[in-house]
Amino acid sequence: MKPGDLLRSLWTTDPRRVAKQYLWGGFLFLLVGGLLAMLIRFQWAWPGQPVPGLAWALPESKGALTPPAYTAVFTMHGLLMIFFAVTPLLFGALGHFVLPLAIGSPRMAFPRLSAFGFWAYAVGGALMLASFGVRLGAASAGWTSYPPLSTPAFTPGLGQTLVTVAVLCVGVSAFLYGLNFVVTVVRCRAPGMTWGRLPLVVWGLFYGAVLNVLFVPVLAAATGLLLLDRVAGTQFF
């Protein structure tokens, strides 16, 4: 495969290929989130005991989950499962694969938004994984990251900042494919595919996309203000 062919395959606008990209990305983060869930359950079953094979990551405690480490694991598990596994699988993968077929459309209304939305999601996922390796560890303000707990005063370190940017990226992705779904259903239905003939799965994806378009900007605005508090010294929260 030539480098140009590889680049075109990565920046694809085919909705079925984009669906596969979301599918494999969602499965990857489902695996990581599942491993973190196993660490949480190990802590419940054997409190304070070293986790086999984790001594390299937590040398100070010889592999045992300390209270700060447990809080970080619990936080990252929730963030990964909600924003990077379940939502991309149910909307990014299922939506891009099923929606055009179900309404009789050969493509999405905005094919390039599909590609851009996936790569915004991929950048956010990379930042989430990178937050595990920074000084002071990953985010530990809970998966909701509510201020003031998620502000620099209570959760210092680069990890929480990287996670904040990652959530902003995945919010951009959700808004883009939500907008794409709404316009696709409204404008790209096949002749004869009236609103009354739409399958229930299309209605579910459509209303979910409407909610994304309406409420993700609110989440993004709050996340942006939190990010300014963390990196620019503002005091919105």
Side-chain angles (χ1 to χ4, degrees):
M1 179 181 290
K2 297 180 180 180
D5 295 334
L6 177 60
L7 182 61
R8 281 191 293 271
S9 67
L10 292 176
W11 186 262
T12 179
T13 57
D14 183 346
R16 285 175 290 184
R17 291 188 177 182
V18 173
K20 291 179 181 178
Q21 290 175 330
Y22 274 110
L23 182 69
W24 290 114
F27 279 151
L28 170 64
F29 289 108
L30 189 66
L31 174 63
V32 177
L35 292 175
L36 296 178
M38 292 300 101
L39 292 180
I40 294 171
R41 281 152 180 80
F42 186 94
Q43 173 68 19
W44 293 349
W46 296 281
Q49 297 300 312
V51 179
L54 202 64
W56 64 273
L58 298 171
E60 297 85 358
S61 60
K62 299 181 180 179
L65 283 181
T66 60
Y70 176 84
T71 305
V73 167
F74 193 88
T75 297
M76 296 299 289
H77 164 73
L79 286 167
L80 287 171
M81 295 298 280
I82 296 296
F83 292 108
F84 293 89
V86 176
T87 302
L89 286 173
L90 291 180
F91 283 94
L94 181 66
H96 280 97
F97 191 85
V98 171
L99 195 64
L101 297 175
I103 65 174
S105 174
R107 60 181 181 85
M108 304 294 290
F110 305 115
R112 292 184 180 179
L113 277 190
S114 298
F116 187 81
F118 169 75
W119 284 107
Y121 161 73
V123 169
L127 292 175
M128 289 290 291
L129 296 179
S131 69
F132 284 103
V134 299
R135 184 175 175 271
L136 299 182
S140 57
W143 75 269
T144 54
S145 295
Y146 286 147
L149 186 58
S150 56
T151 59
F154 295 95
T155 310
L158 183 60
Q160 186 71 46
T161 303
L162 289 177
V163 167
T164 304
V165 178
V167 171
L168 195 58
C169 289
V170 80
V172 170
S173 173
F175 176 80
L176 291 179
Y177 65 64
L179 180 64
N180 210 357
F181 289 178
V182 170
V183 179
T184 300
V185 173
V186 172
R187 300 291 297 175
C188 299
R189 301 192 308 275
M193 179 60 73
T194 62
W195 288 100
R197 293 181 177 180
L198 290 178
L200 286 178
V201 66
V202 175
W203 280 110
L205 291 168
F206 178 74
Y207 280 121
V210 170
L211 292 176
N212 276 347
V213 171
L214 291 177
F215 298 116
V216 166
V218 179
L219 172 64
T223 305
L225 294 178
L226 175 61
L227 183 62
L228 289 176
D229 278 4
R230 295 195 62 86
V231 302
T234 58
Q235 296 183 353
F236 291 108
F237 297 109

